[in-house]
Amino acid sequence: MATAVVTPQAPISFQDLTETSTQTNAAPRRHDVTTNINYWKDPGDGSLPMPIVIANNTVKNERPHIPQQLVVHDVTGEEDKYSLDNHGFQFLRHASKVTSLQDFQDEELVKAEYYPESVELLKSVTGASRIFIFDHKTRCGPSNWHKLGKGNRSSRGPLLRAHVDQSYDGAELVLRRWFKEEADELVKKRYQIINIWRPIRTILKDPLGVADATSIPDTDLVAAAIIYPADRDETWTIRPRATHRWYFKYAQQPDEVLLIKCFDSDESVPARRSPHSAFDNPEERDRESRESIETRALVFYD
């Protein structure tokens, strides 16, 4: 298991993690985008969201959704304003030794090289006592990959639907799956699930948006199942609301990583989870398909 014992450290700013950052007096140009975020379409009859079914390398996702037009704000020049505990997400500069899509698609290389990098990054930011990387996904396919039918998981692309990877109950399912013997003790202390999301090349088409957790009340979260042949997960799907606040970084580069908090057992922090979604930028539709990797970690505290 990829675990680590660390000494608590202060969070690392967007600028502090690079030796190549430059200083400029010019205010950066921001590219706010007016677009649609796809939310869950509540049928209004009290029924649960339709489960997503994953089997035989195929994802079946026929859950109805409804678009909500809003502005996704570009954080360029203001990355340090946003933090995991106050907003549910955080932008950082961090270069990886793994750089190409081909290398990121090499499962063993990612586990041997990229997982340790991810552990060290999270150690520096959170001061956690133990970190375990339990999953990763590369995305390089088209945005309509769900509609490609059998075997579509091999062409996985961006997910243009607002969601959180784990519900509150779903986070405990993940913990108990990986730490069966320790789970009863681990749930007594603070733990989190944090994603590290990284562009493999500069992203223009279908960027990833993240929502300020404090703008989305728990009443807008709806538990939704993912069904596997011999297991299940539970996520949050999201009801639409015009007051949700969404952010992204325009032309996000490979050394500009985004941390996304999917779960925090500490109910006292302002941000326990951050919904996220890829979205269409109308000005960049003709660009090549997005290439990115997301790494998922259980983060424990003494």
Side-chain angles (χ1 to χ4, degrees):
M1 287 187 176
T3 57
V5 177
V6 304
T7 302
Q9 299 179 19
I12 301 171
S13 73
F14 184 79
Q15 290 83 4
D16 286 347
L17 273 176
T18 182
E19 296 178 359
T20 60
S21 62
T22 59
Q23 300 296 323
T24 177
N25 293 324
R29 182 189 169 200
R30 297 195 181 92
H31 295 76
D32 294 351
V33 178
T34 299
T35 187
N36 288 324
I37 295 291
N38 293 315
Y39 289 91
W40 177 55
K41 186 177 181 180
D42 189 341
D45 59 5
S47 60
L48 296 174
M50 184 181 298
I52 295 171
V53 179
I54 301 178
N56 300 320
N57 199 37
T58 302
V59 179
K60 183 180 180 182
N61 184 353
E62 298 178 350
R63 187 179 297 158
H65 61 276
I66 184 169
Q68 169 86 51
Q69 187 178 78
L70 43 73
V71 177
V72 184
H73 298 280
D74 181 10
V75 304
T76 298
E78 297 183 336
E79 295 90 346
D80 288 339
K81 290 177 61 174
Y82 306 97
S83 66
L84 285 170
D85 280 350
N86 289 318
H87 304 90
F89 62 90
Q90 188 166 341
F91 289 90
L92 299 168
R93 280 197 183 273
H94 178 267
S96 173
K97 293 180 181 179
V98 187
T99 58
S100 70
L101 176 61
Q102 181 179 357
D103 286 346
F104 276 116
Q105 290 178 322
D106 184 329
E107 294 280 322
E108 296 307 314
L109 178 64
V110 168
K111 290 177 180 178
E113 300 288 340
Y114 193 63
Y115 278 26
E117 289 181 355
S118 300
V119 168
E120 291 302 313
L121 175 60
L122 287 175
K123 284 165 54 176
S124 298
V125 174
T126 66
S129 57
R130 188 180 186 184
I131 294 168
F132 174 66
I133 308 295
F134 65 89
D135 188 26
H136 75 275
K137 288 180 171 61
T138 55
R139 297 183 186 271
C140 59
S143 57
N144 68 339
W145 65 281
H146 275 138
K147 299 179 180 179
L148 298 180
K150 188 175 181 179
N152 62 6
R153 206 176 185 188
S154 297
S155 302
R156 182 168 47 218
L159 181 58
L160 281 80
R161 299 187 184 187
H163 68 285
V164 182
D165 293 3
Q166 290 83 26
S167 68
Y168 297 152
D169 289 341
E172 187 168 333
L173 286 175
V174 172
L175 185 150
R176 292 186 177 278
R177 179 179 301 137
W178 292 101
F179 294 93
K180 293 179 175 65
E181 296 181 358
E182 301 177 67
D184 287 344
E185 291 302 315
L186 290 172
V187 296
K188 296 177 182 179
K189 299 179 182 180
R190 185 186 188 187
Y191 73 98
Q192 302 166 321
I193 296 178
I194 297 175
N195 289 1
I196 301 175
W197 191 87
R198 180 189 297 273
I200 295 174
R201 63 180 178 183
T202 299
I203 290 180
L204 294 169
K205 183 177 181 177
D206 298 330
L208 184 69
V210 285
D212 181 345
T214 63
S215 73
I216 300 185
D218 277 358
T219 52
D220 288 350
L221 308 177
V222 183
I226 300 178
I227 305 299
Y228 306 94
D231 207 349
R232 65 182 292 272
D233 282 316
E234 187 177 275
T235 69
W236 293 125
T237 189
I238 318 296
R239 291 188 174 96
R241 187 185 297 264
T243 54
H244 294 168
R245 297 188 296 272
W246 287 84
Y247 301 89
F248 84 117
K249 182 171 174 59
Y250 178 75
Q252 189 174 346
Q253 300 178 42
D255 68 341
E256 297 174 334
V257 299
L258 171 60
L259 305 185
I260 306 170
K261 186 192 289 187
C262 291
F263 172 77
D264 195 333
S265 64
D266 185 351
E267 298 182 13
S268 70
V269 297
R272 295 187 65 200
R273 70 290 177 276
S274 176
H276 46 282
S277 175
F279 65 91
D280 172 46
N281 184 343
E283 295 183 357
E284 309 290 355
R285 285 176 183 159
D286 295 332
R287 302 284 187 167
E288 293 181 300
S289 296
R290 192 187 85 189
E291 295 178 2
S292 61
I293 181 168
E294 59 214 60
T295 311
R296 297 171 175 175
L298 278 159
V299 179
F300 300 102
Y301 298 83
D302 288 334

